[in-house]
Each structure stands twice: as C-alpha cells, then as structure tokens.
Amino acid sequence: MIQISAAAADAQAVSLHERLFTIDTHIDTPTASLMRAGWDLGGRHDYAADHSQCDLPRMREGGIDALVFAVYVGQLARTPEGLRLAHERALRCFERTHEVLQANAGACALALSAEDGLRLKAEGKRAIYLSIENAYSLGRDAGNVAKFCQLGVRMLGLTHMLNNDVADASTDPRGAEWGGLSPLGREIVAEANRCGVVLDASHASDDALRDLLECSRAPVVLSHSGPRAVADHPRNVGDELLRALAAKGGVLQINALPVSLVNAPGHGRTAGIAEVLLRFKDAVLSPETLAAEDVAYDVVCAAHPNPPVTFADFIRHIEQAVNVMGIDHVGIGCDFDGGGGAFEGLRDVTDYPNITRALLQRGWNEADLAKLWGGNTLRVMRATAKASDGSPPS
Ligand SMILES: [Zn+2]
C-alpha cells in the first residue's frame, strides 16, 4: 500500500515537473563541452565518461525547458593584447554555440526573451539563452555590450573569481581594487540596462553587488550563488544584501557548487583556485597557457577535493533563501559543467526532477514551484526588457 502511494506521488511529481516552465540560469556547457572538438550536444553523454553534465537528450530526460548557456572566458592579462584575445575567444565561443544550435534546430533554439522560452516549450523544443561570465571579455569598451547583445546575450556576469576592469570579485586574494563597481563598470551597467541585458552579480564582491543594486534601472540576479547564512563562503551572500536584492525585484538562483553548500572552515579549494588564477594574471591566451593553467588547476583540486555534501544541503539553501527573501525571489542556477552538482541527487541535468520531488514532499505547492522554477526569472527578463530603451537588438 505504501509502495503504491509512493509510486503515485512520484508520478505526480514527474508530471508536475514536466508541466512547469523550468529554467536554470547558469551552466557552462559552451566553454566546457561545445569548444571540445567533435563533442555533440545532440548525443547522449555520460558524466563518468567525459565529465559533461548536459546535452539535449539529458535535458529532455531532466524535464528542463531552458538553460542559460554561459560563455565563460578565464581571466588572464588585463593588457590591450590580453583583452583583445579574450574578446576574440568569446566571439569564437558564440560562433560555435550558434553553429551547434543550428545543427540541432529540431530540438532546441536560441531564446532572446521570456516569451521565446515559453513558445519554445510549447513547441517541444529546449530554449537556450546566452550569457557571459566575466565582463573581462568585453574589454574596456562598454559598446561591446550591444555587440554581444546582438549575438544573443541576455545576461551579463560582471566578474569571475578575480577583480577585473569592471568590478571587484568576492574571491580575489588581493582584496578590493575598486571598492565595488569601477567607472567602466557603471558605464557597462547603464549600457546593459539600455540594451535589455539582465545584470548578474554572482562572483562579484558584496560592495559591487551593493553598487549594482544602487545604479541598475532593472532588477538584477545572482545567477549561481547561495545564502551565506547556510554556508559562510565568499561566493554566497548575507541576509541584508539578499533582502536588498529582493527589494529591487531581483532573484537569487541557488548554486550547487559543493564548496559553497556547506560550512568548511579552512577549506583550501577556493583560495587555491584563486591563487592559480593569480599565477596566470599576466599571461596571454594561447593553447600553452590554457594547458598549463589546467594542469595547475587539477593539482589544486586533487589537493583540496570537494567537501562531502548532500542533496539535502542544496534543498536547505533553497528554503533558507525563500525564508529570507520570499518565494518571489529565488530560482535555480546549479552551475553544471562549471563545478556544480556531481553529487548524489544532483549529478547532472537529468536530476532536476529530484528538486521538484523533494520540495513537494516538504509541502511546497504548485504555485510556489512554478515561481522557483521559472516564473521569477521570466519576471526579471520582462522587467529588464521593459526598462530598456525599447529596441533591444535581435
Ligand atoms: Zn561561476
């Protein structure tokens, strides 16, 4: 009898999950997988075999309607040449991503607006939005926001782990450089507002987020972060700032990065990775630089393996964020293909239904799940488009 009702509850959870519009706002598939020669988004892959966590068959299996594909460019020299090479790498990554979407046009398409996402779901296709992670790849020209927007970008992450010319990062071992946003950062925020690009302060310092909340005309997001009250990690954000984010209409998208899910005092992984990035801060992009950086990164990760985390830790982040900010201001941003997940219950994109299942068991209703899974993010997209000058490039 118990087994039958458990099976019925499971079927109900799966059918609800399929019905809801579901979006994850941060996944590193373009850089992690699409730039690999011969890697096919349309084929089913396996994490155990190639460490990838996303492809179209697995998206279907995980009932995920939309993903924000981040074009991440690692930070190297902040010289004119360094910036030019980073910009060119971002352009190559956009080009490759567009090729891949075109080659899989029967199963997915680029989405530029909230309505595109809903329409594609109705057509049975996966919606792919584009973001950039690390405004380093914009160079020192705020005009490049419009250029990236024309290439389909609708979300812009200000920094990665080190300070850049736009803002301070939360994990730079050298501390603050600008005390928040730089003058160029403020120009870029104004330009993103004008173009209708959602601003993303994940990885940025608390002061940079504070500045952003003050000067952005549109709500902002943290595309893959968490509440610091659960895990005191610099990538997470304290209650006061989370309330300010909510007051502005924004959304905290809950990250599944193990090291930021639990309190692990003295855990050297984040500091070790930041030190590797610092070691390469004056290098320029080349295959040799990338290979050397990869080796150094692997050494640090082997020396500081992820702390043990559970699926329940991830759920705790969601519920704490809802307690602090309210149900209208929390979403999902697992950081798959970028270090997120890969633990029991959240191995890859096929595991999204586990989130719906767990929250239903904890008494969540359909209306709240609809907000968490997509409604809140769609609201920010619409508000951002509305606050723009009305003619976002397409
Ligand atoms: Zn990230």
Side-chain angles (χ1 to χ4, degrees):
M1 203 52 201
I2 288 165
Q3 271 182 336
I4 292 166
S5 75
D10 190 62
Q12 205 181 11
V14 169
S15 104
L16 171 58
H17 185 80
E18 285 295 329
R19 197 160 68 241
L20 297 174
F21 176 77
T22 52
I23 181 168
D24 179 315
T25 54
H26 190 88
I27 187 160
D28 283 296
T29 308
T31 318
S33 296
L34 303 188
M35 296 299 275
R36 291 191 213 177
W39 198 93
D40 174 18
L41 187 71
R44 199 182 197 290
H45 301 254
D46 180 14
Y47 181 76
D50 70 0
H51 277 162
S52 74
Q53 291 171 296
C54 172
D55 49 52
L56 289 166
R58 282 185 288 175
M59 277 184 79
R60 247 191 316 279
E61 191 180 324
I64 189 81
D65 299 312
L67 291 174
V68 181
F69 271 23
V71 167
Y72 161 75
V73 175
Q75 193 162 309
L76 297 165
R78 287 162 59 187
T79 56
E81 193 198 4
L83 292 162
R84 179 179 61 80
L85 291 169
H87 185 71
E88 285 170 5
R89 170 142 177 111
L91 295 179
R92 277 200 305 281
C93 199
F94 286 126
E95 193 183 351
R96 176 73 193 133
T97 304
H98 286 300
E99 276 170 20
V100 168
L101 297 183
Q102 205 55 50
N104 292 280
C108 66
L110 180 70
L112 301 172
S113 64
E115 283 56 44
D116 281 353
L118 295 170
R119 174 181 53 79
L120 287 165
K121 176 177 173 67
E123 290 172 8
K125 292 183 185 174
R126 309 292 141 186
I128 305 296
Y129 294 88
L130 294 180
S131 70
I132 65 164
E133 178 170 35
N134 197 359
Y136 172 63
S137 65
L138 289 172
R140 293 202 179 101
D141 181 0
N144 280 332
V145 174
K147 178 178 174 182
F148 280 8
C149 187
Q150 272 158 0
L151 292 170
V153 168
R154 289 296 181 273
M155 189 176 286
L156 190 165
L158 297 176
T159 75
H160 186 236
M161 289 179 70
L162 298 183
N163 304 334
N164 60 22
D165 289 306
V166 170
D168 292 332
S170 63
T171 47
D172 194 313
R174 298 164 298 183
E177 176 176 337
W178 304 103
L181 287 179
S182 72
L184 172 65
R186 286 171 190 274
E187 265 183 69
I188 282 174
V189 169
E191 186 64 1
N193 283 164
R194 191 186 69 76
C195 294
V197 172
V198 174
L199 286 150
D200 171 13
S202 271
H203 286 288
S205 71
D206 286 1
D207 283 335
L209 171 57
R210 215 168 271 125
D211 284 352
L212 178 60
L213 290 171
E214 206 180 278
C215 71
S216 173
R217 286 194 287 115
V220 308
V221 299
L222 299 173
S223 71
H224 58 307
S225 294
R228 205 173 282 163
V230 184
D232 188 10
H233 185 279
R235 284 283 284 100
N236 294 334
V237 175
D239 289 357
E240 187 197 328
L241 261 177
L242 289 181
R243 288 196 188 98
L245 177 75
K248 181 100 186 176
V251 178
L252 168 66
Q253 319 276 1
I254 303 298
N255 195 358
L257 188 72
V259 77
S260 67
L261 280 181
V262 290
N263 273 316
H267 197 282
R269 189 179 177 93
T270 302
I273 294 172
E275 288 297 338
V276 167
L277 295 172
L278 267 189
R279 218 180 300 159
F280 287 86
K281 72 176 174 46
D282 299 318
V284 290
L285 195 64
S286 69
E288 294 73 29
T289 301
L290 291 181
E293 203 173 28
D294 276 353
V295 169
Y297 176 84
D298 288 346
V299 168
V300 166
C301 291
H304 305 282
N306 273 318
V309 297
T310 64
F311 183 68
D313 293 320
F314 177 75
I315 296 295
R316 196 170 303 126
H317 277 247
I318 294 177
E319 294 198 321
Q320 167 68 17
V322 170
N323 286 340
V324 173
M325 306 173 75
I327 185 62
D328 293 320
H329 302 284
V330 185
I332 301 292
C334 289
D335 203 6
F336 285 131
D337 282 341
F343 51 83
E344 189 59 39
L346 218 43
R347 296 226 165 270
D348 62 16
V349 298
T350 61
D351 279 336
Y352 288 121
N354 290 342
I355 301 173
T356 302
R357 197 177 284 122
L359 293 174
L360 277 174
Q361 278 167 5
R362 295 178 65 80
W364 281 50
N365 61 36
E366 175 165 349
D368 286 353
L369 282 163
K371 288 178 177 183
L372 175 86
W373 266 120
N376 295 337
T377 303
L378 294 177
R379 184 194 69 237
V380 170
M381 287 183 189
R382 289 187 179 115
T384 304
K386 200 169 168 205
S388 74
D389 72 359
S391 54
S394 55

